[in-house]
Amino acid sequence: MRYRTIYALVCLLLLAVTGIQADNLTSPISLVPCPVSIVPGTGNFRFSAKTTFAVENEAQAVEVRQLTALFTRAAGFTPRIKVGSKKGDICLVTDAGLKNESYKLEITPKRITIHAADAVGFFYALQSIRQLLPAAIEGASASASPSTSADIDWAVPAVTITDQPRFGYRGLLVDVARFFSPKENLLRIIDCMAMLKLNKLHFHLTDDNGWRIEIKKYPELTEIGSRRVDRPGKSFPDRRNPRQGEPTVEKGYYTQEEIREIVAYAGERHIEVIPEIEMPAHSNAALAAYPLLACPVVNKYIGVLPGLGGENADVIYCAGNDSVFTFLQDVLDEVLKLFPSKYIHLGGDEARKTHWEVCPLCQARMKEEKLANEEELQGYFMGRVARYVQGKGREVIGWDELTNATIPKDFIILGWQKYGEAAVKAAELGHRFIMTPARIMYLIRYQGPQWFEPLTYFGNNTLKDVYDYEPIQKDWSQHTASLLMGVQACMWTEFCNAPEDVDYLLFPRLSALAEVAWTRPERKDWKAYLAAMDGFNEHLAAKGIVYARSMYNIQQTVTPRDGRLEVKLDCIRPDVEVRYTMDGSQPTAQSALYVRPLMLTGTKTIKAATFSAGKQMGQTLELPVVWNPATARAIKSIGADNIGLLVNGVRGSLKYTDSEWCSWMKNDTVSFTLDLKKPEAVARLTLGSITNYGMAAHKPARIEVLVSADNKDFRKVSGKSFTKEEIFREGTFREDIPFEIGEKARYIRVVAYGAGLCPFTHVRPGQEARIYFDEVIVE
Ligand code: ACM
Ligand code: ZN
């Protein structure tokens, strides 16, 4: 049924796009990323035990064998490959006129012809065939259930596809330092990358939380650096630093043999594995093993960090100690032998210079090298290591903090902060760059309405946010645009505790990244992508990957409008219906269809879900909207992100970025004024607040409540102060703070005085504590 719907959609779309008659297409054409052109044909090509591939040479046979191996496993037969032959059902033909990586694929009921200039072009054409096949091609049904596989029609639709990528660099970072992905899971991710025609795996192998690659010359890097203490039940930012002598039970690293296997597996799929060896910061795991490589002024225990690190995140390699460079060169010598990649990533992000500022060795280095400040010392550090790597014939990549100092020669900049502005700055200086803006491309953020999501960092990067990303901005010069190598998504794993958690955050967003990286903007079409992605997701499911269905969930927006509340129920998928109830019953396919915002004037519980063809697609949103005299009243504040949230009848969840909590740009003093429209007897005002210790969300130091009849003269009627112990309590919890008033009032003003900086013992020492309120309840 679902196939048919997709098929109908895709046909309609293709007809609209191509204007070509496709009267008897019999299966859907769903390809992610969307090719340059798809012209549908008539009928199907069927694979069977008799199918033969004719290839010109052994190199082509190598590519074809990757597809025929899938048939062997899933279908129980193996199409034949004839090397040096021009006669076959599927012919591979070199066309030197085509660009690298591009291909032309012609499928007719009788024959398939693939033209490409290089091995990777043929590989991508074969990956397109793989996606066009029934998803069962990913399974192992031949051995498990021969009868089922015999029933499958191994057909692909007749079609002519011409294709080539938009960007040469189409990347994914996988962080195996925070969560160590078992090799098998990593290989499966690599295979999915190949299906999506991604070609760079940025392998984040070392960080404060683990050193994951065997280095023969420095065995302690893995003996000590790949193990850390466990903090069961604590999320990453809440995990306290290790104490000396604590057992280290969390562990994992790849042996050199396993690294070679990973690199070879990726290489067969035309994916370059780019190792990242972090420096000078994010190096607690290395320094736990070799503490003498830290500045000699560091006088605290250095352990592999289980979480954010707090005050230990500033423990970094000493820039004045030549042994550090010898060590890094030795490490890189082994890394270079293991990774044949053109690029090596040298880190360079988030280096706090607190120790460099007071370290005699670092200061002596600055003097000797005539460096103006510690940022320039980092420039020296990165430049020195970069020259070593460049001297071995490789190119270097670094995070965009390298722009804080003179950028060493020929560094390629990976733009991550905000929207990647720093990388653009580097480009203006002539550096090549890659975009992975955290605001869009960090897959650690929530991918859907947060009420339904497992805990992760903060903020949203939905499937649609990733899909809609356009890296090239209108105000870029042509020269800047010409230096953009491509785009990358980053799978940071701080909140992953099992391989399934990584899969969940990766899929299906990785397919949206592929579309950004491969497909030209003029070919992008959200609806067509969704239909194709549904087909791709079936392949994921057949591979045993449980992908996120967050794209089917409903995001509520409840906004005060002149004494009423406007309730919007949005789903990023336009191909589903939103149905809702307001009588407490569960929504069904027969419930009221949501077509426009609902207007409320009193307490109601809305229940809503998305449906397609009578089937519920997402989770049920249960939204109690609870009215009190402050609800939907006028409220004003300076510097608030969205002050209306305080009076929208909806309580924030335990996730402080769930779009129901109100926050302020500056947290020293925040205030808001509520207008009850006429004088009312107010017995009490209750203010909801959230503490999220790990993210430095805390109650203010003091709150005052004032009242006024004219919005001019305000009189304090109530207040509360909190001690440091009360404010900086560990955990994530909500609190309702009541204020007795017992007065008639029209205007109520709440003034909150921030708690200042988090104390030294905090997991975020010295960071400003942020205030989050929701909701205001007047009785
Ligand atoms: C980064 O997210 N620190 C590169
Ligand atoms: Zn130093």
Side-chain angles (χ1 to χ4, degrees), residues 294-297 316-321 355-356 358-363 377:
C295 291
V297 291
I316 69 177
Y317 291 112
C318 178
N321 179 353
H355 293 112
W356 285 10
V358 291
C359 168
L361 302 182
C362 287
Q363 292 301 313
L377 181 57

Side-chain angles (χ1 to χ4, degrees), residues 531-554:
M533 180 206 63
D534 287 340
F536 177 71
N537 287 350
E538 290 180 18
H539 285 254
L540 293 179
K543 287 171 81 66
I545 291 172
V546 179
Y547 59 88
R549 293 177 59 83
S550 320
M551 58 191 156
Y552 288 112
N553 289 337
I554 294 170

Side-chain angles (χ1 to χ4, degrees), residues 230-306:
D230 196 9
R231 295 280 181 262
K234 295 268 187 213
S235 70
F236 185 85
D238 285 312
R239 294 178 197 155
R240 288 254 165 220
N241 288 343
R243 293 175 299 276
Q244 196 151 14
E246 262 196 282
T248 50
V249 292
E250 279 268 322
K251 57 184 186 207
Y253 69 89
Y254 306 108
T255 63
Q256 295 207 345
E257 201 46 48
E258 288 171 319
I259 293 279
R260 278 189 210 99
E261 189 185 334
I262 292 164
V263 168
Y265 185 90
E268 284 162 17
R269 288 157 180 77
H270 300 279
I271 292 170
E272 178 180 354
V273 185
I274 301 170
E276 179 183 4
I277 303 298
E278 272 274 23
M279 64 192 76
H282 288 279
S283 48
N284 270 261
L287 296 172
Y290 297 98
L292 293 178
L293 300 180
C295 291
V297 291
V298 174
N299 57 4
K300 49 195 171 193
Y301 169 65
I302 306 174
V304 181
L305 303 177

Side-chain angles (χ1 to χ4, degrees), residues 46 69 140 148 158 174 216 230 273 282 538 563 590 644 684 688 731:
R46 284 202 164 72
T148 329
V174 179
K216 303 261 192 215
D230 196 9
V273 185
H282 288 279
E538 290 180 18
Q590 281 72 47
R684 183 180 303 115

Side-chain angles (χ1 to χ4, degrees), residues 418-419 436-448 450 456 458-467 490 505 509 512 550 572:
K418 298 181 182 165
Y419 292 100
T436 183
R439 297 275 174 94
I440 303 166
M441 286 291 169
Y442 271 27
L443 306 184
I444 190 174
R445 294 191 179 204
Y446 288 99
Q447 57 190 310
Q450 294 183 17
T456 187
F458 61 89
N460 279 28
N461 283 341
T462 67
L463 180 70
K464 187 154 190 334
D465 295 331
V466 176
Y467 181 83
C490 288
L505 289 171
R509 285 186 289 185
S550 320
I572 58 171

Side-chain angles (χ1 to χ4, degrees), residues 487-507:
V487 291
Q488 174 171 305
C490 288
M491 185 59 257
W492 299 109
T493 54
E494 281 90 336
F495 286 77
C496 297
N497 297 303
E500 302 77 65
D501 299 346
V502 182
D503 289 346
Y504 180 87
L505 289 171
L506 267 179
F507 300 111

Side-chain angles (χ1 to χ4, degrees), residues 220-476:
E220 273 106 343
L221 281 174
T222 43
E223 275 164 29
I224 295 171
S226 76
R227 305 175 65 109
R228 67 182 186 223
V229 297
D230 196 9
R231 295 280 181 262
K234 295 268 187 213
S235 70
F236 185 85
D238 285 312
R239 294 178 197 155
R240 288 254 165 220
N241 288 343
R243 293 175 299 276
Q244 196 151 14
E246 262 196 282
T248 50
V249 292
E250 279 268 322
K251 57 184 186 207
Y253 69 89
Y254 306 108
T255 63
Q256 295 207 345
E257 201 46 48
E258 288 171 319
I259 293 279
R260 278 189 210 99
E261 189 185 334
I262 292 164
V263 168
Y265 185 90
E268 284 162 17
R269 288 157 180 77
H270 300 279
I271 292 170
E272 178 180 354
V273 185
I274 301 170
E276 179 183 4
I277 303 298
E278 272 274 23
M279 64 192 76
H282 288 279
S283 48
N284 270 261
L287 296 172
Y290 297 98
L292 293 178
L293 300 180
C295 291
V297 291
V298 174
N299 57 4
K300 49 195 171 193
Y301 169 65
I302 306 174
V304 181
L305 303 177
L308 211 50
E311 77 274 16
N312 273 49
D314 69 355
V315 176
I316 69 177
Y317 291 112
C318 178
N321 179 353
D322 279 333
S323 305
V324 166
F325 296 96
T326 309
F327 164 82
L328 288 171
Q329 289 175 8
D330 289 344
V331 166
L332 286 163
D333 282 345
E334 293 193 33
V335 167
L336 294 176
K337 280 206 188 91
L338 291 166
F339 295 89
S341 58
K342 182 170 175 188
Y343 305 108
I344 304 292
H345 197 299
L346 298 178
D349 58 322
E350 298 180 310
R352 278 157 58 187
K353 316 289 188 323
T354 38
H355 293 112
W356 285 10
E357 281 160 13
V358 291
C359 168
L361 302 182
C362 287
Q363 292 301 313
R365 176 85 74 201
M366 281 168 60
K367 215 161 155 195
E368 186 186 304
E369 298 290 333
K370 301 191 175 49
L371 302 169
N373 52 45
E374 284 75 18
E375 286 302 334
E376 290 297 335
L377 181 57
Q378 176 166 350
Y380 163 85
F381 191 115
M382 301 306 294
R384 181 163 165 179
V385 182
R387 279 196 302 282
Y388 183 76
V389 173
Q390 288 162 338
K392 307 269 174 185
R394 311 294 183 94
E395 298 209 41
V396 289
I397 306 180
W399 295 107
D400 66 27
E401 281 90 339
L402 267 82
T403 59
N404 295 343
T406 311
I407 309 171
K409 201 165 172 298
D410 293 332
F411 243 108
I412 296 164
I413 301 298
L414 187 51
W416 74 278
Q417 296 181 81
K418 298 181 182 165
Y419 292 100
E421 292 85 346
V424 179
K425 189 172 116 188
E428 281 156 10
L429 297 170
H431 288 265
R432 285 166 295 156
F433 68 117
I434 300 150
M435 278 301 208
T436 183
R439 297 275 174 94
I440 303 166
M441 286 291 169
Y442 271 27
L443 306 184
I444 190 174
R445 294 191 179 204
Y446 288 99
Q447 57 190 310
Q450 294 183 17
W451 291 11
F452 304 105
E453 294 297 320
L455 183 73
T456 187
Y457 239 140
F458 61 89
N460 279 28
N461 283 341
T462 67
L463 180 70
K464 187 154 190 334
D465 295 331
V466 176
Y467 181 83
D468 284 343
Y469 177 51
E470 169 49 47
I472 298 181
Q473 301 301 305
K474 289 197 176 70
D475 60 353
W476 287 9

